[in-house]
Amino acid sequence: MIRIGSHRCLLWQSVICALVCLLAFHPFSSSTSNFADAAPPEFTSTPRNRIFFWKVTASTLAPDGVTRPVLLVNDKYPGPKIEVNRGDYITVVVQNALDVPTSFHWHGFTMRDDPWYDGVPGMNQCPIPPGTNFTYTFGTDNTSGTHWWHAHFENQYIDGLVGAIIVHEPPETDPFLHAYDEERTIIISDWYHQPTGPLLAHYLSPDSHGMEPVPNNGLINGKHTFNCANVIPADLKCEKGERTVFHFLPNRRYRLRIINAGAAAPFLFSVDQHQLQVIEADGTNLNPILVDSVPVNNGQRYSVILTTNQEPKNYWMRAEFGLDCLPKPTNLDPVILAEVRYQGAGAAEPTSVGRFVPDPNSKEPQINPAFVEACKDLDLFQLHPLQPVPILEPISKSIQVRISFKKNETDNIVRGYLNDITYAADPWNPTMMQNLKDVVQYDVAQHVMTIDKRDSIVQIILDNSLGGEHPFHLHGHVFQVVAQGEGLYEEGKSQLSAVNPVRRDTATVPRKGYTVIRFKADNPGVWALHCHIEWHVTTGLVMQFVELPDELRAMHIPKQAAQLCEVPPPAGFKADTGFMPK
Ligand SMILES: *[C@@H]1O[C@H](CO)[C@@H](O)[C@H](O)[C@H]1NC(C)=O
Ligand SMILES: *[C@@H]1O[C@H](CO)[C@@H](O)[C@H](O)[C@H]1NC(C)=O
Ligand SMILES: *[C@@H]1O[C@H](CO)[C@@H](O)[C@H](O)[C@H]1NC(C)=O
Ligand SMILES: [Cu+2]
């Protein structure tokens, strides 16, 4: 693998080195943060190291008009967009100006050769202490497409630490180069009016009975309106928020890169009166399929092409909550809106009608009949990568993972379990560092599985007998989704997507159903497998794979990554509940 000099320099040395490298080799470093809507970076045949400086702070913000405490990168929500070309290196200098630790994960990147920068405390790094800097640096390798970054310490990302990462494909190999004229990034997410501290304290107490916090609103690119009459508690500062507006030219083709960066809710995405051509799922180019709407679960991404071929008017873009897969909401607006304005159509609010018209007189939240479907992924059997890869076989290791929730009869707290283990690891004693010891004995609560054999094909059967769906994300790999259905998976009997199955990194395990994934063990590292409902991460729906431990042990952990573990946890940290609110 080719490494450019400055990258190695960063690997081996400190932040000071990073700055020196930057000044010495990277006069183009103006690519800091505020280029959310800038043109994509020019393509160069030589991979470049693109450096970003981030300052993480605690602040307040009112994305939907309701003011609340938030965590921000460079004072933005969503945080700064990272936009690079395939083959580039990404370097992010994180200045942790919070008074608590933090860490960042690069969702969609396999971190080949850089497993210590995957960002999961307790697995592959120690948290970044408050008041210090830490530099992440990793190759994009073969990855292209629509990805994102988010904090991976406690539930910090729900409080605002999220953003997009777009990796452009070289024009020579981009199959969709002539399929669209422009692109837009669309981050959809659920949104809470309370910071996660109190929400988490309640969720992890006997009083919640295991019911997840219910969002108060949703956002499209960090904006939405809210009816202040519904605000809870009533003394929160509330003004009517605004919606995001997309300005489109008629008769053009727009690639919409949709990212669900929320905490828990799946969304059904659509634009009134326009069809959508799905061309990408989690970075994998697809044989295009035409749909009216696309369900996007937590952590997933899709690219769709929308052609502005309708009457030049304004139209609603909708992100409809998968209400049927959330606990019963109270005053949640079930449809999150943005405006699509055709040029020349003026600024009047759209009057377009969606597939489902809620009854304005109803007091009950209304569930779009399509939501039942929205709690599932797009039909697996319709999704096929443009670049075919045969189904991975033969299977050398098949692992069944049963998802369950149980109340502990001693403390009366409901927790999540994978194969009867509820994950609870020490963030300051990551598996990666433990693996360096001669004799390794992992704690049961770390929920470690070891994969020893290089290039072996691993199959994971995710079994879910529960009434809720769970979007599962595997770090370090792009997996094949080979089966997804209702009931119990039966080897040899259940239907497989056997020819060129879709490859992605986040797949929904449907309620009372199963999802089966396969990957090739060719990436030494410590990789999380977890439900991407962030509340379920906290309550234990997490396990980890130590992949090729001998090879991993032989790799050289950068000094600054190892040094993070020399800093003891700050006072006030409790292993299972983190920093609890006072
Ligand atoms: C962290 O980085 C910022 C800006 O890049 C710099 O001003 C600050 O001095 C650094 N802090 C430490 C502790 O190195
Ligand atoms: C990355 O792409 C190169 C060239 O196309 C290929 O040889 C290599 O196998 C790919 N690596 C992975 C991990 O897919
Ligand atoms: C229940 O919780 C207690 C206290 O946190 C713990 O010691 C015990 O191991 C738990 N029991 C089970 C079955 O997980
Ligand atoms: Cu879950």
Side-chain angles (χ1 to χ4, degrees), residues 329-348:
T330 44
N331 53 16
L332 183 66
D333 193 344
V335 184
I336 308 309
L337 298 169
E339 291 182 32
V340 167
R341 282 189 197 157
Y342 274 52
Q343 189 191 39

Side-chain angles (χ1 to χ4, degrees), residues 405 469-472 531-533 536 541:
F405 284 84
E469 46 74 49
H470 301 273
F472 264 76
C531 174
H532 217 289
I533 294 178
H536 293 175
L541 285 191

Side-chain angles (χ1 to χ4, degrees), residues 186-303:
I186 301 174
I187 298 184
I188 56 183
S189 85
D190 46 21
W191 188 248
Y192 295 80
H193 289 154
Q194 311 289 318
T196 55
L199 295 177
L200 197 57
H202 180 256
Y203 179 52
L204 297 177
S205 79
D207 303 340
S208 75
H209 305 285
M211 292 299 262
E212 300 81 1
V214 182
N216 303 101
N217 203 351
L219 305 172
I220 296 179
N221 284 353
K223 288 184 176 182
H224 199 235
T225 52
F226 189 75
N227 178 354
C228 289
N230 288 336
V231 80
I232 302 171
D235 61 354
L236 281 183
K237 188 175 171 217
C238 183
E239 286 160 11
K240 200 169 161 54
E242 300 177 346
R243 299 185 186 100
T244 294
V245 177
F246 295 90
H247 296 274
F248 285 177
L249 297 170
N251 298 311
R252 274 174 94 78
R253 300 158 306 168
Y254 291 86
R255 176 181 189 160
L256 310 180
R257 298 175 178 271
I258 309 158
I259 303 166
N260 184 341
F267 284 100
L268 192 63
F269 178 90
S270 62
V271 177
D272 291 353
Q273 268 175 251
H274 292 76
Q275 285 199 303
L276 308 169
Q277 195 185 28
V278 185
I279 59 164
E280 180 213 340
D282 298 356
T284 299
N285 291 323
L286 300 174
N287 286 324
I289 56 167
L290 205 57
V291 299
D292 293 324
S293 59
V294 54
V296 192
N297 210 336
N298 209 271
Q300 294 183 321
R301 292 86 65 209
Y302 285 100
S303 279

Side-chain angles (χ1 to χ4, degrees), residues 39-55:
E42 215 176 285
F43 222 95
T44 54
S45 47
T46 333
R48 299 209 312 203
N49 187 12
R50 299 192 189 263
I51 304 188
F52 305 86
F53 289 94
W54 286 4
K55 186 173 182 182

